[in-house]
């Protein structure tokens, strides 16, 4: 029995050799195009001098401790090295003692990212988060030359920043390509500064386009499986023509390292932002002056729109360009300046990209019919409005209102007491919801006590009886759902479709 083991082991070794040879034969038979394009090395050699490492420094409170360390993934081989380095630099804490309470002067922290040169006169593009709050910005060229840079402008909504510097010798600049022409499966190349290791080249394919991952109002990311890690932020994503088709911005990863889910801001967005930052030092986006929401299948059925598409206008800014053009709540925008609008994100992006002051045609659907309105765009103000919370006051007892039930809702006429109880502005008209059946469609659509129904099926209502009458008629007409225009206490409107059968 003991002599069987070596024989078995020998057979397994032979099988292993056979499998290895078989695999090698299979690899040899795979076409070169399936293993990746042969020109990656040529392209990388051509453009790598245009890619820069970006080093920033910032003064911070000394008590922030480990915050100054590079943010490395847990278990990284560099983690222990940096841990020892920072401890030695600051001085070890004596046994039995704690220096955390001592007053220490502010210290400088460093961070690293990537960028690329778009103008040989000295213009660099990177991510805003790479240089945010930096006191000093330095560029490190591919040959090691270090040059101080100045900030030209940033756009937080797309996470893009533009820097300028004075070249000490001729530099290589790259051009933007057309990200709209990218195809799924197309090869792309990422170059950057992962984990502060210096210029690194990785390749992969375009996994998806127009990704919305809820990072900002204009999300339209290119997704790629080209290896992108911390430090690659702000670096370029190239096509096989050596053109920049995206700016590598973020990854999704439970480990902190690349798992093949990298995202880049498309060059079409970046190029427009860069042009405005260079020209004005800020973004000047178009503004339509509407609040919009998704056209769901239920809402589309209620509005006789097939298929469901467009952006539903839920509210109009009194001082916005849409109001004088005759656009109203309940209209569905399906085309803007000749471009199709499939959903609210499409409208947000195309409006923002349109020049301030330009007159455009806006195609809407109103009560089943298409109409065209001419709108002269205003300018979107990026300053955030700060709203002060109203002080809570003790509420007086309120007489129980007379209610009626419909659609799983308790409905009542708007009285002075109910306005006070639910803080409803005088400008808000309609029928107030005082209760919601927890098992109803209305509860699923997040209607709640204090909401006010302004319209039912695009007709104004003033009483619960009006609502019941409209709902009963819709049932007789065979409609599956009813479209409600609902306001909150501040007068902000939204559309909600509820089942009626």
């Amino acid at each position: 029995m003991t002599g069987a083991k070596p024989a078995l082991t020998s057979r397994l070794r032979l099988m292993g050799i056979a499998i290895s040879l078989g695999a090698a034969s299979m690899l040899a038979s795979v076409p070169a195009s399936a293993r990746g394009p042969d020109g990656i090395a040529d392209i990388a050699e051509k453009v790598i001098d245009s890619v820069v490492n970006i080093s920033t420094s910032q003064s911070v409170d000394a008590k922030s401790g480990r915050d100054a360390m590079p943010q490395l993934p847990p278990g990284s081989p560099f983690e222990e090295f940096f841990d020892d380095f920072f401890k030695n630099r600051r001085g070890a804490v004596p046994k039995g003692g704690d220096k955390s309470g001592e007053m220490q002067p502010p210290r400088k922290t460093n961070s690293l990212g990537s960028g690329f040169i778009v103008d040989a006169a000295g213009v660099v593009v990177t991510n805003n988060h790479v240089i945010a709050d930096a006191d000093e910005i330095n560029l490190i060229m591919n040959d090691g030359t270090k040059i101080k840079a100045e900030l030209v402008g940033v756009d937080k909504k797309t996470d893009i920043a533009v820097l300028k510097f004075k070249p000490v010798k001729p530099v290589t600049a790259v051009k933007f390509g057309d990200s709209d022409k990218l195809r799924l499966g197309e090869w792309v190349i990422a170059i950057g500064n992962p984990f502060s290791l210096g210029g690194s080249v990785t390749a992969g394919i375009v996994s998806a386009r127009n990704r919305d991952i809820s990072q900002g109002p204009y999300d339209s990311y290119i997704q790629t499986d080209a290896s992108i890690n911390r430090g690659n932020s702000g670096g370029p994503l190239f096509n096989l023509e050596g053109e920049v088709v995206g700016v590598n911005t973020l990854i999704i990863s439970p480990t902190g390292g690349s798992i093949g889910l990298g995202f880049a801001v498309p060059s079409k967005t970046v190029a427009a932002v860069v042009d405005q930052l260079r020209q004005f030092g800020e973004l000047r986006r178009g503004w339509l002056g509407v609040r919009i929401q998704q056209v769901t299948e239920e809402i589309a059925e209620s509005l006789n729109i097939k298929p469901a598409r467009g952006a539903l206008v839920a509210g109009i800014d009194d001082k916005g360009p849409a109001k004088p053009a005759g656009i109203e709540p309940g209209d569905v925008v399906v085309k803007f300046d000749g471009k199709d609008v499939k959903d609210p994100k499409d409208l947000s992006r195309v409006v923002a990209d349109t020049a301030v002051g330009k007159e455009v045609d806006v195609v809407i659907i109103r009560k089943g019919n298409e109409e065209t309105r001419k709108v002269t765009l205003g300018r979107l103000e990026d300053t955030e409005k700060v709203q002060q919370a109203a002080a809570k006051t003790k509420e007086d007892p309120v007489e129980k209102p007379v209610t009626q039930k419909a659609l799983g809702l308790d409905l009542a006429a708007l009285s002075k007491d109910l306005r006070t109880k639910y803080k409803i502005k005088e400008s808000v008209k309609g029928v107030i919801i005082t209760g919601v059946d927890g098992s109803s469609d209305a509860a699923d659509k997040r209607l709640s006590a204090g909401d006010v129904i302004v319209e039912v099926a695009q007709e104004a209502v003033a009483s619960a009886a009006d609502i019941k009458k409209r709902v009963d008629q819709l049932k007789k007409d065979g409609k599956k759902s009813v479209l409600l225009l609902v306001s909150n206490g501040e007068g902000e409107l939204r559309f909600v479709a509820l089942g009626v059968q």
Side-chain angles (χ1 to χ4, degrees):
M1 294 295 290
T2 56
K5 287 185 179 179
L8 182 60
T9 302
S10 178
R11 286 198 297 273
L12 288 172
R13 286 199 189 105
L14 290 172
M15 288 176 66
I17 293 170
I19 291 170
S20 298
L21 290 173
S25 299
M26 289 174 66
L27 285 172
S29 65
V30 175
S33 59
R35 301 196 301 271
D38 294 328
I40 287 179
D42 294 333
I43 296 165
E45 185 177 1
K46 175 184 174 183
V47 302
I48 196 166
D49 285 339
S50 69
V51 183
V52 299
N53 297 339
I54 297 179
S55 170
T56 67
S57 62
Q58 177 186 1
S59 295
V60 298
D61 187 345
K63 290 184 179 181
S64 57
R66 286 177 59 93
D67 290 345
M69 288 183 59
Q71 298 299 302
L72 301 170
S76 165
F78 300 101
E79 190 172 26
E80 184 177 349
F81 166 76
F82 279 116
D83 191 33
D84 291 341
F85 172 75
F86 277 89
K87 281 181 180 178
N88 291 335
R89 190 178 71 172
R90 297 176 196 143
V93 177
K95 291 182 180 180
D98 184 359
K99 289 186 177 181
S100 61
E102 294 181 10
M103 294 297 293
Q104 299 180 25
R107 56 181 171 77
K108 291 222 170 195
T109 63
N110 299 311
S111 63
L112 293 160
S114 306
F116 56 98
I117 302 170
V118 294
D119 188 331
V123 179
V124 167
V125 175
T126 185
N127 280 140
N128 172 59
H129 75 260
V130 169
I131 52 83
D133 301 320
D135 298 322
E136 185 177 310
I137 305 171
N138 288 289
L139 310 179
I140 304 171
M141 304 297 173
N142 190 44
D143 63 3
T145 304
K146 188 174 182 180
I147 305 175
K148 188 174 181 180
E150 296 178 5
L151 183 63
V152 174
V154 303
D155 177 35
K156 293 180 180 179
K157 291 184 177 179
T158 56
D159 197 16
I160 297 298
V162 174
L163 312 174
K164 66 179 181 180
F165 69 100
K166 293 182 179 179
V168 295
K169 59 183 178 181
V171 296
T172 302
V174 287
K175 295 180 179 180
F176 287 112
D178 188 350
S179 54
D180 283 351
K181 292 182 179 179
L182 284 176
R183 297 181 300 160
L184 298 186
E186 182 174 338
W187 281 89
V188 286
I189 304 165
I191 303 181
N193 179 30
F195 298 117
S196 309
L197 294 173
S200 298
V201 179
T202 57
I205 63 169
V206 174
S207 306
R209 295 178 55 212
N210 302 320
R211 280 289 195 226
D212 180 358
I213 55 177
S214 302
Q215 290 295 303
Y218 311 119
D219 280 12
S220 183
Y221 288 105
I222 300 166
Q223 181 184 327
T224 178
D225 66 354
S227 184
I228 297 173
N229 291 285
R230 292 179 183 177
N232 274 103
S233 287
L237 189 70
F238 291 102
N239 61 18
L240 295 187
E241 301 297 322
E243 300 168 328
V244 177
V245 290
V247 177
N248 302 319
T249 298
L250 55 88
I251 62 173
I252 293 177
S253 171
T255 63
S258 174
I259 59 169
L261 284 173
F263 298 90
V265 183
S267 59
K268 183 177 181 180
T269 299
V270 178
V273 169
V274 169
D275 284 345
Q276 287 207 30
L277 290 178
R278 292 183 66 179
Q279 185 175 355
F280 307 117
E282 62 180 357
L283 262 290
R284 299 182 179 181
R285 290 190 168 96
W287 178 53
L288 186 57
V290 296
R291 286 192 301 103
I292 53 178
Q293 67 180 75
Q294 186 76 29
V295 178
T296 64
E297 293 292 342
E298 290 176 316
I299 290 176
E301 192 269 341
S302 300
L303 295 174
N304 296 317
I305 296 175
K306 294 180 180 180
R309 67 191 189 280
L312 176 62
V313 177
I316 301 289
D317 191 304
D318 287 338
K319 297 181 180 178
K323 187 167 184 177
I327 295 175
E328 301 173 354
D331 292 341
V332 177
V333 179
V334 293
K335 187 171 287 188
F336 182 92
D337 198 20
K339 302 176 181 67
D340 289 334
V341 176
K342 297 178 182 178
D343 55 40
K345 280 282 188 181
D346 278 350
L347 183 60
S348 295
R349 284 191 289 262
V350 71
V351 170
D353 290 342
T354 304
V356 175
K358 182 179 180 181
E359 185 181 69
V360 298
D361 287 336
V362 180
V363 179
I364 61 173
I365 296 178
R366 178 181 294 175
K367 296 185 177 180
N369 299 314
E370 279 197 5
E371 301 179 13
T372 300
R373 302 284 172 166
K374 287 192 176 294
V375 181
T376 301
L377 287 192
R379 180 182 174 185
L380 177 66
E381 297 296 337
D382 287 332
T383 53
E384 298 179 358
K385 296 179 181 179
V386 180
Q387 297 181 344
Q388 300 294 331
K392 292 184 179 180
T393 59
K394 186 176 180 180
E395 295 178 356
D396 295 327
V398 178
E399 184 179 348
K400 189 174 181 180
V402 177
T403 63
Q404 286 185 287
K405 287 187 176 292
L407 301 170
L409 301 169
D410 294 332
L411 304 168
L414 261 175
S415 64
K416 184 177 180 181
D417 285 343
L418 288 174
R419 285 187 185 276
T420 302
K421 179 179 179 180
Y422 292 108
K423 299 181 176 62
I424 309 295
K425 285 186 174 181
E426 287 296 328
S427 59
V428 176
K429 308 296 182 183
V431 181
I432 191 167
I433 299 171
T434 59
V436 181
D437 184 340
S439 61
S440 67
D441 188 25
D444 292 339
K445 299 295 173 59
R446 298 182 181 178
L447 289 176
S448 60
D451 286 337
V452 177
I453 299 176
V454 180
E455 292 180 359
V456 175
Q458 296 186 289
E459 290 188 11
V461 290
S463 68
D466 288 345
I467 294 176
K468 285 181 67 66
K469 182 179 178 181
R470 291 292 298 145
V471 171
D472 289 343
Q473 184 60 50
L474 290 168
K475 285 181 179 180
K476 289 179 182 179
D477 294 341
K479 295 291 185 180
K480 296 179 181 179
S481 60
V482 57
L483 186 66
L484 308 180
L485 179 59
V486 180
S487 174
N488 63 12
E490 293 295 318
E492 294 178 344
L493 302 170
R494 73 185 192 277
F495 284 92
V496 178
L498 298 181
V500 296
Q501 299 296 342

